[in-house]
Amino acid sequence: MSEWRTLCRAPFSVHRWVYIGSPAHIIVDEAERLKVDAIVIGSRGLSDFRGLVVGSVSHRVSHTAPCTVISVHAAPDADDEAS
């Protein structure tokens, strides 16, 4: 929760909403409605093909959004690097 408080003091707007439906469609619809400059979205790093088959939200958003989409990949866990 402290991360949320830090973001609220940042020099940009941060909002939270809860919707029911297709995440990719909702994100793109809201981006259009709010006329945002960019969308920042997390990504698990699936390949384009696997993203299409599995249904990656970040893949769909990045290909249909009316604005810049920035995909953020999580840093690998220390356990993953040791393997």
Side-chain angles (χ1 to χ4, degrees):
M1 191 58 133
S2 66
E3 292 170 352
W4 175 253
R5 288 189 186 103
T6 301
L7 282 175
C8 289
R9 291 190 303 267
F12 49 83
S13 297
V14 177
H15 304 276
R16 292 187 283 185
W17 293 283
V18 177
Y19 292 96
I20 297 173
S22 166
H25 290 122
I26 291 170
I27 291 167
V28 170
D29 289 348
E30 284 299 292
E32 290 171 348
R33 184 179 73 80
L34 296 169
K35 297 177 176 50
V36 301
D37 296 320
I39 298 169
V40 179
I41 191 165
S43 175
R44 294 180 295 164
L46 300 176
S47 67
D48 280 343
F49 177 73
R50 187 163 179 217
L52 282 171
V53 173
V54 175
S56 166
V57 172
S58 60
H59 183 269
R60 286 188 181 151
V61 170
S62 68
H63 285 84
T64 59
C67 59
T68 299
V69 177
I70 303 166
S71 294
V72 179
H73 300 269
D77 291 339
D79 294 338
D80 293 342
E81 290 178 3
S83 307

